[in-house]
């Protein structure tokens, strides 16, 4: 036993890649909790104490190890799609998924991004959030795919392109193939990103591919292509207009840190125009709504009051949010000039969070930090290269340290394959169970039932834990009793069971005596 431990301590990288079975176990849905955390901690100690960390030679892994990491990454993306589809079948998707999917279906069948889930009647969602990227899954829906499947395919494709772009960026800035591919896997497993990607879909996650490609093309000196990716990122949410401005500012001011001086004038032309377009896009979306459609920007009510801004508890939560965005990459981007320049690009997102009084926006490890955490890994890679002469041994092993450190958290309570297994052969929530509901019926539904009722021609009202509509005249209340959203007591008191429908609960307005 003692000789075995000495051998493991002498060859920590062998120990590390022998442990590659752990993420495979996680991806397989098996549950290892405290044992994994203890094992990861012991390996961190072994790696940190080993003299090989202070070596100056390049960190290179055998091809088989690199293929093993790539295999885990591919399995991650495959399970992401399978898990999300399983959640649809099990009625476990949330409110954002229901809203975006209804918009995709509406574009395909009605020709406009309409939703009945954000108001009492059909409403153009682009006046609520600027997400024309949803026309991509709508095109697939027009071709014959269901709206949930099409939306998830675009979601997974954007995530995959984002991580591929990360690998290209890491190689572009000078990391070895071994460090690059290991760091990509770390980024995939990091707890500021992975939980939100697997939980559902958000407008921010649609931007990961465009953001990654914008950085990759910029670092390669392809400024027009980078500007195009920035413009496409703005099709995922209106806040990315401000990202266009901040990115362009960094590209101009920090040009000499990343590119030769002779290309500075081209960068100023391209990114100067990009910044102006970003400013015009945000100002137009924000200020023209009252003039064009007679209403103010929907999310002004999320701005914090002065008391909230100065509240010590709220300030503490926002500091924690910001720290947890940077922590998965160890904040390495803060240690060099170039890293800090890259970290300046997501400042609009951080600024919006700090100006907000909406608690969900500054929830630690929430989806409002996904893009910033993604960019923090780019900043970390740049800093790793710049700091290499001083901290070579430690930085070469940083991917291994990060990998082990976040592995325990990722193996926590997330059991994606369990949902996939449960969904196989489960037909209790098939939409066919609700075929008897007439198209003209007035329905209040939870997010799961919204997906099953996409075919209906009448507005479906949505209820969730945070949204309980004033009950209008309605014919049916439909929900999944095993879903995330409990039935509000106000709706339960107004209704009574009326029509068995597979695994769905259908209630009708209670008859008055």
């Amino acid at each position: 036993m003692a000789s075995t431990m000495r051998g493991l301590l002498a060859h920590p990288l062998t120990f590390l890649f022998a442990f590659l079975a752990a993420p495979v176990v996680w991806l397989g849905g098996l549950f290892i909790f405290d044992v994994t955390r203890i094992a990861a901690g012991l390996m961190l100690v072994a790696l940190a104490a080993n003299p090989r960390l202070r070596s100056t030679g390049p960190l290179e892994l055998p091809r088989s190890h690199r293929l093993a990491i790539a295999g885990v990454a591919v399995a991650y993306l495959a399970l992401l799609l399978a898990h999300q589809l399983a959640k649809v079948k099990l009625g476990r998707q949330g409110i954002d998924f229901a809203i975006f999917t209804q918009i995709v279906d509406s574009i395909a069948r009605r020709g406009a991004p309409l939703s009945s889930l954000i108001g009492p009647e059909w409403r153009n969602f682009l006046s609520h959030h600027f997400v024309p990227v949803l026309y991509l899954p709508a095109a697939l829906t027009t071709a014959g795919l269901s709206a949930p499947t099409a939306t998830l395919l675009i979601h997974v494709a954007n995530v995959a392109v984002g991580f591929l772009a990360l690998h290209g960026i890491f190689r572009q800035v000078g990391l070895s193939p071994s460090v690059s591919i290991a760091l990509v896997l770390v980024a995939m497993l990091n707890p500021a990103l992975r939980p939100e990607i697997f939980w559902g879909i958000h407008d921010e996650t649609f931007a990961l591919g465009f953001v990654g490609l914008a950085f990759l093309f910029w670092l390669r000196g392809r400024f027009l292509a980078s500007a195009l990716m920035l413009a496409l990122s703005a099709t995922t949410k209106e806040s990315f207009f401000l990202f266009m401005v901040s990115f362009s500012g960094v590209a101009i001011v920090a040009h000499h840190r990343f590119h030769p001086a002779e290309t500075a004038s081209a960068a100023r032309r391209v990114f100067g125009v990009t910044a102006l377009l970003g400013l015009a896009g945000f100002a137009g979306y924000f200020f023209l709504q009252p003039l064009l459609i007679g209403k103010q920007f929907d999310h002004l009510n999320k701005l914090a009051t002065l008391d909230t801004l100065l509240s010590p508890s709220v300030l503490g939560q926002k500091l924690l949010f910001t720290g947890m965005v940077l922590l998965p990459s160890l904040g390495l981007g803060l240690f060099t000039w170039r890293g800090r320049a890259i970290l300046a690009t997501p400042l609009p997102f951080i600024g919006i969070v700090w100006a907000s009084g909406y608690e969900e926006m500054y929830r630690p490890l929430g989806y409002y930090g996904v893009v910033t955490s993604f960019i923090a890994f780019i900043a970390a890679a740049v800093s790793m290269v710049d700091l290499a002469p001083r901290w070579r041994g430690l930085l070469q092993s940083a991917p291994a340290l990060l990998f082990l450190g976040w592995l325990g958290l990722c193996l926590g309570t997330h059991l994606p394959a369990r949902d996939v297994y449960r969904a196989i052969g489960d037909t209790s929530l098939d939409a066919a169970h609700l075929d008897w509901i007439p198209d003209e019926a007035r329905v209040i539904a939870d997010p799961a039932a919204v997906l099953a009722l996409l075919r209906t021609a009448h507005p479906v009202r949505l209820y969730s834990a945070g949204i309980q509509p004033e009950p209008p005249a309605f014919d049916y209340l439909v929900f999944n009793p095993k879903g995330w959203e409990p039935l509000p007591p106000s709706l339960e008191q107004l209704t009574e069971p009326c029509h068995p429908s597979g695994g769905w609960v259908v209630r009708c307005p209670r008859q008055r005596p």
Side-chain angles (χ1 to χ4, degrees):
M1 180 67 178
S3 61
T4 301
M5 287 302 297
R6 283 196 297 272
L8 291 174
L9 291 173
H11 302 286
L13 289 177
T14 300
F15 193 16
L16 167 65
F17 287 99
F19 198 62
L20 269 177
V24 175
V25 169
W26 167 66
L27 290 166
L30 300 179
F31 181 56
I32 303 176
F33 191 61
D34 290 338
V35 173
T36 301
R37 291 172 184 260
I38 293 169
L42 289 174
M43 284 185 287
L44 279 170
V45 173
L47 282 168
N50 197 276
R52 289 184 59 179
L53 278 181
R54 296 185 288 276
S55 67
T56 58
L59 175 64
E60 285 298 336
L61 304 173
R63 185 170 180 268
S64 59
H65 288 172
R66 295 201 299 271
L67 289 175
I69 296 176
V72 172
V74 171
Y76 174 107
L77 294 170
L79 190 63
L80 171 59
L81 179 60
H83 180 238
Q84 292 279 24
L85 290 171
K87 288 181 68 177
V88 172
K89 192 170 185 181
L90 294 172
R92 304 281 285 174
Q93 290 286 5
I95 180 173
D96 282 355
F97 189 90
I99 292 173
F100 288 134
T101 304
Q102 190 194 47
I103 295 163
V104 168
D105 181 76
S106 180
I107 294 171
R109 294 200 295 117
R110 298 180 175 89
L114 304 175
S115 175
S116 66
L117 307 180
I118 55 174
E121 300 295 337
W122 289 104
R123 178 179 164 190
N124 192 313
F125 189 78
L126 295 186
S127 67
H128 183 72
H129 274 310
F130 190 70
V131 284
V133 70
L134 295 180
Y135 278 83
L136 289 177
L140 298 179
T141 301
T142 303
L145 287 178
S146 70
T149 301
T151 306
L152 287 175
L153 283 175
I154 297 299
H155 167 71
V156 175
N158 272 288
V159 172
V161 170
F163 287 129
L164 286 173
L166 273 188
H167 181 55
I169 291 166
F170 296 160
R171 296 290 292 121
Q172 179 68 29
V173 300
L175 295 181
S176 71
S178 297
V179 172
S180 175
I181 196 168
L183 195 58
V184 168
L185 186 59
V186 171
M188 297 175 88
L189 291 175
N190 103 70
L193 194 64
R194 193 276 306 157
E196 294 302 326
I197 289 174
F198 272 83
W199 172 256
I201 59 173
H202 306 290
D203 24 26
E204 280 85 355
T205 58
F206 283 120
L208 291 180
F210 299 132
V211 170
L213 290 175
F215 276 102
L216 178 60
F217 289 141
W218 172 57
L219 290 169
R220 289 181 175 177
R222 298 174 59 185
F223 302 143
L224 279 173
S226 177
L228 175 61
M229 292 301 108
L230 290 174
L232 289 174
S233 75
T235 66
T236 65
K237 199 172 187 178
E238 61 278 359
S239 55
F240 282 86
F241 284 121
L242 295 178
F243 178 66
M244 291 174 65
V245 178
S246 60
F247 187 106
S248 298
V250 168
I252 293 171
V253 173
H255 179 85
H256 64 289
R257 300 278 185 168
F258 295 90
H259 299 287
E262 54 268 24
T263 60
S265 60
R268 283 195 296 270
R269 287 194 302 271
V270 170
F271 290 110
V273 172
T274 303
L276 290 175
L277 290 175
L279 279 174
F282 185 79
Y285 189 78
F286 189 91
F287 293 109
L288 292 182
Q289 287 199 37
L291 298 176
L292 297 179
I293 56 179
K295 72 169 193 65
Q296 66 178 14
F297 181 54
D298 280 357
H299 303 283
L300 282 178
N301 60 345
K302 293 180 180 178
L303 287 175
T305 63
L306 183 60
D307 288 344
T308 303
L309 281 175
L310 300 179
S311 166
S313 62
V314 173
L315 287 173
Q317 292 178 61
K318 292 178 179 179
L319 280 172
L320 179 61
F321 168 87
T322 306
M324 292 304 291
V325 164
L326 297 174
L327 187 59
S329 59
L330 298 182
L332 288 175
L334 297 171
F335 287 87
T336 68
W337 202 101
R338 294 203 307 165
R340 290 190 293 271
I342 288 175
L343 283 177
T345 61
L347 281 179
F349 306 128
I350 297 294
I352 290 171
V353 167
W354 276 79
S356 174
Y358 180 47
E359 191 170 351
E360 181 65 20
M361 291 189 72
Y362 47 86
R363 174 173 57 87
L365 303 181
Y367 70 87
Y368 283 95
V370 162
V371 174
T372 303
S373 180
F374 180 82
I375 294 173
F377 272 88
I378 300 174
V382 169
S383 287
M384 287 170 68
V385 173
D386 292 348
L387 292 170
R390 286 178 285 166
W391 300 356
R392 181 179 299 275
L394 178 62
L395 290 170
Q396 286 174 343
S397 299
L401 297 175
L402 286 165
F403 175 81
L404 292 171
W406 297 122
L407 191 58
L409 288 175
C410 287
L411 286 166
T413 57
H414 184 55
L415 308 174
R418 179 187 61 185
D419 287 339
V420 176
Y421 301 150
R422 287 176 177 175
I424 296 174
D426 188 330
T427 60
S428 62
L429 294 178
D430 281 1
H433 292 305
L434 301 176
D435 280 347
W436 59 269
I437 298 179
D439 282 354
E440 66 276 7
R442 299 163 297 181
V443 180
I444 295 179
D446 73 346
V450 168
L451 302 181
L453 293 168
L454 286 175
R455 60 173 178 77
T456 185
H458 194 83
V460 175
R461 294 298 303 281
L462 175 76
Y463 81 76
S464 71
I467 301 175
Q468 297 181 19
E470 290 294 328
F474 67 95
D475 299 306
Y476 302 104
L477 170 65
V478 185
F479 65 97
N480 171 22
K482 298 179 180 178
W484 292 114
E485 306 292 350
L487 180 66
S490 59
L491 290 177
E492 184 174 13
Q493 293 169 5
L494 290 170
T495 58
E496 58 188 5
C498 63
H499 199 297
S501 301
W504 300 103
V505 171
V506 180
R507 298 173 69 93
C508 299
R510 192 181 297 274
Q511 298 297 321
R512 294 181 180 180

